[in-house]
Structures are given as C-alpha cells and as structure tokens.
Amino acid sequence: MKQSRGQWASSLGFILAASGSAVGLGNIWKFPGKVASYGGGAFILCYVLIVALVGFPVMLAEISIGRSTQKNVVGAFRKLNRRWTFLGGIGVITLFVILSYYCIVGGWVLKYIQVYLTGAHFGVGETAYQDYFVNFISKPIEPLLWGTLFLAMCVYVVVRGVSKGIERVSKFLMPCLFLILLAIVIRSVTLPGAKEGLQYLFTVRPGTLNGNTLVGALGQAFFSLSVGMGIMVTYGSYVPKRENLVKSAAFICTIDTMVAILAGIAIVPVVFITLGAEGLGQGGGFAFMALPQVFAQMPGGIVFGCLFFMLLFLAALTSAISVLESCVAFLTEEFHMGRLKAIVVLTIPMAFLSAGYSLSQSEVRNLNLPWFDFAYGIQMLPMNAVLEKFTDNLMIPLGALGFCLFVGWVWGTKNALHEIELDGRTFRFRRAWSFLIRFLAPAVIVLILYFTLGKGQGLS
C-alpha cells in the first residue's frame, strides 16, 4: 500500500517551519562574532546582499525541486534524473553527520538553561566561566545525557508527522523565539552605553569592505539559510500546489536575516559595555564563556542569561527538527518504514558519531581523525573538528553547487520556472533568477570551496 505523504496545512505553517530550519545556532551566537571580526556595518551589508543574490535563488531552486517531485531529497533527484541521484545521497549523509553533533550542542544549551534556572553558579575567579564550560564539555557522560534529552525532544515532534508535529510546534516555537529575542533586544538597547555598540554594529567603514569581509559574509549567509543539504527539498515536497513559492522563499530569507540582525542588536551592545569589542571574538565558545560573564555584570543578569539560552534552545530545536525530518523522510519513503522505526534505525549508528564528537572535546582522549585540504595537507585533528569541517567546508558547498548545476543546466530553469509559476503566477524576476542560479551562485560556491579546501579557511 502506498504511504500517504504529509502536507503543510497552511502557508504560514510552511513558512514558520522552514524559517525555523534556517534560524539556528549560527544566527544567534556566530553572527554577532562575525560582525565584530569583519567590521560591523560592512559585514551586514555584504551579508544582506549575498542572501538576496545567492541564498534566495538557491532556496527557491530547492523548494521547486521538492514540490515538483513530492519526494524526499534522494527520491526527488531519482525522479527527475536518475544519474543525479547521488546528489540526494550527499544531502542525506550531510544531514546525518550534522544531526550527530547538533544534538550534542543542543544538549549544552539545555544544561545552561538548567544552570540559570538554579541560580547561575559558575564559580569564582577570572577564568570561572571558561573553566566551567571546558570542564562540562570534557566530561564523558553528562554532555551525552543532555544531548540525548535534546534528541528526544526532536523525536517527539517528528514522529507525530508534518502537520500535527512539525507545523504545529513551529507555529508555537517561532513566535516564542521572536518574543524572547525582542525582549533581549529591548533590554540591550536600553542599557547605559549601548549606543556605542549599536554604532559599531551598523556603521559602514570603507576600509573594512574587503575580500575577507566578503568571504566571511559568504560563509555566514550561505550556511545560515539551510541550503545545500536537501532540507528545503524535503520541506518543499510537503508544499501544496497552490502555494506561492517565490513569496514563501522571500519570507524565509527575510525572517532568517531579521533574526541574525536582531541577535546582533541584542548581543553586541552588552558585550561592548562589559568586555569591549575583543569580547566578541571567542568563536563557538562565545555563547558559553563570554556571554555568561557579560550577564553576570548586568542588573538582572540571571534573567537575561536564562532568556538568552532559551532563545538559543528554540533556534537549535527548530533547526534540528528539520534535519531529523529530512533523514526520516528518506528512510520512510525509500525503505517503506514507519516513522518510529526510521528514527530508531537512524539514531543507533548516529549515537557513535555523537559520542565521538562529545568525547573528542577533551584533547587528552586523543580522539583524532585525518582531514585534508590543499593548504595544510593531511592533518590529524580532533574528531569534533573533522565532523564540522566535513559538513561545513566540504559537503554543504558541494551539495549546493550540485543543486545549482542540476537546476540550471540539467533539469533546466524552464522546468523549475514552470513549477514556480503554477496557476498562472508570474515571477517578475525570472530572467534574473535564471542568471543567478546558472552563473552567479555556482561561481560563489566555487569561491567558497576555494577558501575552505584550497586555503583551509573555515567559513561557518
């Protein structure tokens, strides 16, 4: 018996669910750090332009593939051109690896919510916040337990299906995310001295409009939108034929960009006030080391910190749900499994990657894997670094490049536009979109691969 596919019950449900996929951890903690590293307003300007000229065209292409075929990412490419089925496989592998470590990081966020709910006791001393985080992620068992709890929350949503699970939860979680973010923004901009941080955030300094800023914005914008992995193919396959794909993709890109900029407004001023601009440049540990120190120096900092990590949790959860759903859709449709069985089949092997990612946070365990790029050759790096480089530096750009080449030159923009313009809708920028998806977007992605594999630079 043919299994009936889920479908979004409303346009709003699809937009919120897809926006939840795009809005992730990178929007909340990496964007403010990137703004600081690349000169404030110049970075934001480049970021917005790249979202419009590259992110939106690729997202629209992925959604059109999904709705045209009404299949998971592997089945979609098989239906359109069997020779390109491998491209769907690239997406599934990428998502599987991402979910293995995303759940661990989601567990870190849950742990910090618990810490703030119980009084935010991080210890004393100048390095108390750094020591607390390093000690926690270096433990062998506790981070895995928190990661398992985070994954269980994702499973609860996904097993209930598209409209009754993902859509219903997204309609609740995304408004909550915006309310919390706005509350933090209001608190941030009303602090004494916030003006200096806001000026840094939005002032365009001509000297910072350079190649490094452009590359940084490329990486942040590209990976922020959940393109290149097949998520939007899967979510697009649940979209009814009556849906306006152009409007939906535009809304998703706009919401994702708004969240990133609002996160910058929420975070940059308070860090400027307490730690100065140098406090923003702490990489992935910024949210777990620098910000708790910032919150501790603010009136009502415990409440502020709790709200921030709740915001981070909502962003992580909505993104992880989309990743899990895309993998589950592949298993249920290609191997005719039920949702619960598919999740079990998926999570058992994934547990080994998750454990490796978590345990390799401590260098003393020497859990290393080989990684190659043309700048440094073969290196033995911690497993957590290799997993992130594998997805961010290699698989996501390769997948996105493949999507562009497929839509632009194999399936053809004419067929994609036929799907986009169903029911007589006219896409006013159809020629511009065709040019972008065939020429500009692939060129940008090749540039990303040049910097990630050629020069060994991390962009996400």
Side-chain angles (χ1 to χ4, degrees):
M1 180 180 295
K2 186 178 179 180
Q3 186 179 12
S4 61
R5 301 189 85 253
Q7 194 172 75
W8 305 114
S10 66
S11 173
L12 178 64
F14 165 57
I15 290 171
L16 290 178
S19 299
S21 172
V23 173
L25 295 171
N27 295 70
I28 309 300
W29 93 58
K30 288 190 177 181
F31 184 84
K34 288 285 186 74
V35 170
S37 299
Y38 295 104
F43 177 84
I44 293 177
L45 178 63
C46 292
Y47 177 84
V48 172
L49 288 174
I50 291 164
V51 167
L53 298 177
V54 180
F56 169 76
V58 177
M59 178 176 291
L60 184 57
E62 289 195 34
I63 295 173
S64 67
I65 290 173
R67 193 176 71 172
S68 175
T69 58
Q70 300 285 288
K71 292 184 178 295
N72 68 87
V73 64
V74 172
F77 283 101
R78 181 187 295 116
K79 181 176 180 178
L80 296 177
N81 190 313
R82 294 185 67 87
R83 294 180 180 178
W84 285 73
T85 305
F86 72 92
L87 196 54
I90 289 176
V92 171
I93 292 170
T94 304
L95 293 169
F96 178 81
V97 176
I98 287 175
L99 189 60
S100 71
Y101 62 75
Y102 212 89
C103 287
I104 297 297
V105 179
W108 298 351
V109 177
L110 284 175
K111 168 64 176 180
Y112 269 64
I113 292 175
Q114 180 261 321
V115 170
Y116 274 96
L117 289 175
T118 54
H121 303 296
F122 289 98
V124 295
E126 292 184 2
T127 62
Y129 300 96
Q130 292 87 340
D131 293 343
Y132 186 93
F133 177 63
V134 172
N135 290 336
F136 167 65
I137 64 174
S138 299
K139 292 178 180 179
I141 302 299
E142 188 180 0
L144 291 173
L145 294 177
W146 284 106
T148 301
L149 176 60
F150 181 85
L151 177 60
M153 294 178 179
C154 299
V155 168
Y156 174 78
V157 176
V158 171
V159 78
R160 295 171 67 86
V162 177
S163 62
K164 293 183 179 179
I166 300 170
E167 181 172 356
R168 186 174 295 176
V169 169
S170 297
K171 284 182 176 180
F172 173 74
L173 294 184
M174 289 303 291
C176 289
L177 184 150
F178 268 100
L179 288 174
I180 293 174
L181 181 55
L182 288 174
I184 298 175
V185 166
I186 292 170
R187 181 71 181 103
S188 173
V189 299
T190 54
L191 289 170
K195 182 179 178 181
E196 182 182 356
L198 292 173
Q199 288 177 336
Y200 179 85
L201 184 66
F202 291 110
T203 300
V204 177
R205 301 165 185 82
T208 59
L209 279 170
N210 52 42
N212 288 334
T213 302
L214 179 62
V215 171
L218 275 174
Q220 179 66 24
F222 195 79
F223 298 125
S224 172
L225 290 170
S226 291
V227 294
M229 298 171 278
I231 291 175
M232 292 303 163
V233 174
T234 301
Y235 271 24
S237 72
Y238 303 138
V239 174
K241 293 295 185 179
R242 66 179 182 273
E243 181 69 32
N244 187 323
L245 298 189
V246 176
K247 182 177 70 174
S248 297
F251 271 125
I252 296 163
C253 291
T254 300
I255 291 172
D256 181 74
T257 303
M258 282 177 55
V259 170
I261 293 175
L262 285 173
I265 296 172
I267 300 305
V268 171
V270 296
V271 176
F272 255 80
I273 293 168
T274 53
L275 301 180
E278 62 276 6
L280 288 163
Q282 296 196 20
F286 166 69
F288 300 96
M289 294 186 291
L291 288 183
Q293 183 178 354
V294 169
F295 300 147
Q297 300 177 42
M298 294 172 51
I302 291 180
V303 175
F304 197 93
C306 187
L307 285 175
F308 172 79
F309 282 101
M310 288 175 64
L311 170 68
L312 210 57
F313 164 71
L314 294 177
L317 183 64
T318 52
S319 291
I321 286 170
S322 71
V323 176
L324 179 59
E325 171 60 25
S326 299
C327 294
V328 167
F330 162 70
L331 291 176
T332 57
E333 294 176 21
E334 299 299 313
F335 299 97
H336 308 291
M337 299 180 182
R339 280 182 168 264
L340 186 58
K341 182 178 179 180
I343 289 171
V344 173
V345 169
L346 181 71
T347 54
I348 289 176
M350 192 182 73
F352 292 96
L353 284 182
S354 298
Y357 181 85
S358 182
L359 293 172
S360 63
Q361 299 293 332
S362 175
E363 294 182 1
V364 299
R365 295 193 178 100
N366 202 33
L367 268 174
N368 297 330
L369 292 174
W371 175 255
F372 172 83
D373 59 52
F374 292 96
Y376 303 104
I378 298 176
Q379 312 163 72
M380 294 301 295
L381 300 176
M383 183 175 176
N384 62 303
V386 171
L387 291 181
E388 292 179 9
K389 285 178 177 292
F390 175 73
T391 56
D392 297 355
N393 290 14
L394 175 63
M395 297 296 279
I396 293 176
L398 276 181
L401 179 61
F403 289 153
C404 291
L405 295 177
F406 180 81
V407 173
W409 300 95
V410 180
W411 186 38
T413 55
K414 182 178 179 180
N415 287 322
L417 285 166
H418 174 74
E419 183 65 34
I420 292 167
E421 296 181 324
L422 279 181
D423 297 333
R425 299 187 185 96
T426 301
F427 183 18
R428 295 173 58 186
F429 303 103
R430 61 195 328 268
R431 290 186 178 180
W433 177 80
S434 297
F435 172 80
L436 293 173
I437 204 68
R438 296 182 75 192
F439 299 105
L440 181 62
V444 167
I445 297 166
V446 169
L447 181 64
I448 289 175
L449 285 168
Y450 167 74
F451 279 97
T452 57
L453 297 182
K455 303 190 72 173
Q457 181 174 335
L459 299 182
S460 66

